[in-house]
Amino acid sequence: MADSGPEASPRTGNAKMDPVLRNAIRYTISAKEYRTLHEYLLKQSPTIVRNRAPLPSKYDAAIKNKDDYNAAAIRASLRVFLAAQSGLKLWDIITEQILRRGKPTRTTAKSAPFKSPNFRLSISISLILLLHRVLHRFFTRLRVNLLTKDAAPFRRRNPRISKALTARLAPAIGSSLAGFALGVSPGDQFRITVAIYLATRAAEFAYNALEDDGWFKTRPWWFGSWLLMPPVFGQLLHAFLFDRDCFPTSYGNFILKNTPNYIQKRPPGYPSHLAWPTNDGIVDGLAEISRLNYPAFVSPILFPSASQILPPSLSQISPITSSAHPSIRALTCALLHPHEPSCMRTYVTFFLGAVPMFAKFFALILGLFALPRYKLFLKEPVKQMDQLAKNVLRMTIFVSGAIGTSWGSICLFQYLLPRTFLPTQRWFWGGFLGGFWGFLERKKGRSQFLYSTRMSIDSLWKVGVKRGWWKSGKNGDVWVTVASLMLLNAVYEVNPNAVTSGVVRKSLGMLRGEGWVDRAKPVKNEEVAEE
């Protein structure tokens, strides 16, 4: 009869909690999460499940005297792995079944699940988090122990090692070794993108730290990150013409879509059976004209019986140049603006059409980014709308001027420079001139400037590998990632305010196991002003 009493219930008995079950729960959810799960889900489950599940109080007692730091690190890494794996799987479904609907499906060789790119990428990200937390705690504890009196003999015997391990930055630099886990992921564009992003962000925050320490007090008023734009735009424009396979596709599509005055579209009434050069064909034609040292334009309207109107390698652009205005002398002008003999009028007309178009585009984009600050708009509507309008106007003029000047400078060089002087390099200098429009955004455009810089670094690296200027070292992107993570962690340790991105600061806190916290003091705006 005693067996039917409540003391015989598995939930309230004195039997110890199964260690396998205890560790499985411990490395999956925290005690607080288990209490919530037990309260809202397990109470609604079948009786057999409720009887087997330990009570929250019993689970708390089982793990009360255990260090939960490593368990929390494992829990976080497992969740990151599951989230990354699910996100990548969802992205595959979207791209294959929705975005590529009606297009030929790509056939990929089947491989073991643990060898798939998605699995390797997910495990790489989760390992970085796990190793960073474990290493940061290890070096922190090691530093504390080496600073005690008991460790004095070790410090005397090993002064250099002791100095390195007891340095303030030892935990920050040591935990950055977790970046080597990036080598688990496939050696594709993702690793290069991560390496470039971390390198540029680390350099940006290191500059901020040096600026806070007074290193640049005597800099000129015009000095700032906008000076990156001339060489960046020059490199991108040159790669766009001569190494388009090393050029970011999104940039190329944006340029070609928004330069109707210089990229001639197929006329509406043009016969469908006749060929018309594509956008890429027009760009290839400009590159070939440069390689041929800018041959003179022979108008078929004035000289219909000429033996050779165009060089054989430029025959694909003849539908555009054949109807060009007879007074045009340069072949590039005949290709870029065939029906307008004045280069200056074409340049001005470009602005008249591009400014309203870009104004609408940036009004939409910047308006969406302003939505999280809707409370400020409700509190100070006139001031916030005025600031938004100024931002839209600056970005519109900056982008319009950069694109228009990059194209228009080619016409300028045709009249100023001899045909054989810098025939291909002048495209770089055309983009260089266009980059000076970044001066208008010098106060609030750092994020846009650094984004373009990352695109340029990626493009330049690929161009250099393609042309044999340098070789791609094995796992070089991983080494760059580790070095950048060391610099980033060091800056965050010494001066958290120098890390001007709240998301980056909180992400570093998560990597260290401190939680989604912000160590920076509220003395700066997140938007860093250059002046």
Side-chain angles (χ1 to χ4, degrees):
M1 297 294 293
D3 292 343
S4 61
E7 285 76 7
S9 173
R11 294 177 56 190
T12 59
N14 295 324
K16 291 184 178 181
M17 184 177 178
D18 182 56
V20 176
L21 177 61
R22 179 192 65 203
N23 289 330
I25 298 176
R26 180 174 172 233
Y27 289 108
T28 305
I29 56 177
S30 64
K32 181 179 179 181
E33 292 167 344
Y34 179 75
R35 184 177 294 276
T36 304
L37 178 67
H38 190 278
E39 181 178 355
Y40 291 100
L41 294 180
L42 292 181
K43 284 186 177 180
Q44 310 298 328
S45 60
T47 305
I48 187 173
V49 177
R50 293 201 306 270
N51 291 339
R52 288 182 175 274
L55 291 172
S57 58
K58 187 177 180 181
Y59 176 62
D60 291 344
I63 65 172
K64 184 176 181 180
N65 298 324
K66 294 185 179 294
D67 186 2
D68 196 52
Y69 184 88
N70 291 336
I74 294 176
R75 286 197 301 266
S77 62
L78 285 175
R79 293 173 186 182
V80 167
F81 170 78
L82 294 175
Q85 189 75 350
S86 303
L88 292 172
K89 184 62 177 178
L90 178 62
W91 176 249
D92 287 343
I93 294 175
I94 293 175
T95 54
E96 294 295 334
Q97 299 186 11
I98 299 178
L99 298 182
R100 294 182 61 86
R101 182 176 296 175
K103 300 179 182 179
T105 58
R106 295 177 295 181
T107 57
T108 56
K110 293 184 178 181
S111 59
F114 62 89
K115 291 184 178 180
S116 66
N118 287 354
F119 179 86
R120 292 173 59 189
L121 178 56
S122 302
I123 200 68
S124 173
I125 297 173
S126 60
L127 277 177
I128 290 175
L129 174 62
L130 176 62
L131 293 177
H132 195 284
R133 287 193 176 189
V134 173
L135 289 173
H136 188 270
R137 193 188 200 203
F138 169 77
F139 283 103
T140 300
R141 286 186 165 186
L142 180 61
R143 177 175 180 267
V144 172
N145 291 332
L146 289 178
L147 289 174
T148 60
K149 293 181 179 180
D150 296 337
F154 178 84
R155 294 198 300 269
R156 286 193 299 267
R157 290 194 305 268
N158 307 279
R160 293 183 179 179
I161 296 177
S162 299
K163 185 177 180 180
L165 294 178
T166 58
R168 178 186 176 186
L169 297 179
I173 295 177
S175 60
S176 301
L177 297 175
F180 282 114
L182 184 66
V184 177
S185 64
D188 55 9
Q189 180 63 36
F190 173 79
R191 280 170 40 169
I192 299 175
T193 302
V194 170
I196 294 175
Y197 177 81
L198 287 179
T200 54
R201 292 297 267 178
E204 176 191 4
F205 299 146
Y207 175 86
N208 292 341
L210 295 175
E211 187 178 30
D212 290 343
D213 290 341
W215 283 57
F216 306 108
K217 289 183 178 180
T218 59
R219 69 176 186 178
W221 64 270
W222 45 264
F223 184 85
S225 58
W226 74 273
L227 289 173
L228 293 170
M229 289 299 93
V232 162
F233 280 1
Q235 188 278 325
L236 288 173
L237 184 61
H238 190 274
F240 179 58
L241 263 80
F242 302 101
D243 301 281
R244 202 154 53 255
D245 55 332
C246 305
F247 186 83
T249 306
S250 57
Y251 252 62
N253 294 337
F254 185 80
I255 293 173
L256 294 175
K257 183 180 179 181
N258 296 291
T259 52
N261 294 71
Y262 289 103
I263 301 297
Q264 303 301 313
K265 305 297 182 182
R266 187 186 186 96
Y270 197 77
S272 58
H273 64 280
L274 297 180
W276 185 267
T278 61
N279 291 342
D280 290 343
I282 294 174
V283 176
D284 291 337
L286 291 170
E288 184 62 21
I289 291 173
S290 304
R291 296 189 188 98
L292 296 176
N293 293 330
Y294 301 95
F297 172 61
V298 179
S299 173
I301 298 176
L302 293 180
F303 305 97
S305 60
S307 59
Q308 185 176 7
I309 301 297
L310 288 173
S313 58
L314 294 174
S315 58
Q316 76 275 9
I317 65 172
S318 60
I320 298 178
T321 59
S322 60
S323 60
H325 198 281
S327 63
I328 295 177
R329 295 182 297 171
L331 187 55
T332 52
C333 296
L335 180 58
L336 291 174
H337 48 91
H339 305 299
E340 176 53 66
S342 173
C343 300
M344 179 57 68
R345 190 178 294 117
T346 302
Y347 183 65
V348 174
T349 305
F350 168 82
F351 275 90
L352 295 177
V355 168
M357 177 175 57
F358 283 125
K360 295 178 183 178
F361 174 78
F362 287 114
L364 175 62
I365 298 299
L366 297 181
L368 292 176
F369 279 108
L371 287 179
R373 296 183 283 112
Y374 70 94
K375 292 183 179 179
L376 291 177
F377 278 84
L378 295 177
K379 184 178 180 180
E380 301 174 328
V382 177
K383 179 181 178 181
Q384 295 299 322
M385 287 300 297
D386 179 67
Q387 183 178 354
L388 178 61
K390 290 179 179 179
N391 292 340
V392 171
L393 182 61
R394 282 196 304 267
M395 281 297 299
T396 298
I397 299 178
F398 163 45
V399 176
S400 302
I403 295 178
T405 302
S406 298
W407 288 114
S409 61
I410 301 307
C411 298
L412 176 66
F413 291 152
Q414 282 283 83
Y415 287 95
L416 296 181
L417 303 178
R419 293 190 304 110
T420 57
F421 182 74
L422 301 176
T424 58
Q425 291 82 358
R426 64 178 63 179
W427 286 97
F428 170 85
W429 294 108
F432 192 92
L433 291 177
F436 280 100
W437 285 91
F439 179 80
L440 298 176
E441 259 306 90
R442 67 188 184 279
K443 292 185 178 181
K444 294 187 177 181
R446 175 182 285 188
S447 59
Q448 291 86 353
F449 300 153
L450 291 180
Y451 175 78
S452 299
T453 301
R454 287 191 283 271
M455 296 295 102
S456 178
I457 293 173
D458 180 66
S459 174
L460 179 61
W461 170 256
K462 293 175 181 177
V463 171
V465 173
K466 173 184 174 182
R467 299 194 177 191
W469 296 344
W470 45 69
K471 293 184 180 180
S472 178
K474 186 177 181 180
N475 294 324
D477 45 11
V478 177
W479 286 95
V480 172
T481 299
V482 173
S484 303
L485 195 56
M486 287 181 178
L487 179 58
L488 187 59
N489 269 320
V491 172
Y492 180 68
E493 181 68 29
V494 175
N495 183 6
N497 285 337
V499 182
T500 52
S501 170
V503 175
V504 175
R505 289 194 301 266
K506 294 177 181 179
S507 299
L508 289 173
M510 287 293 294
L511 281 175
R512 296 181 173 201
E514 300 169 354
W516 192 253
V517 296
D518 193 344
R519 289 176 53 204
K521 298 179 181 178
V523 296
K524 281 188 178 182
N525 293 328
E526 293 298 324
E527 188 86 31
V528 178
E530 294 278 339
E531 298 177 3

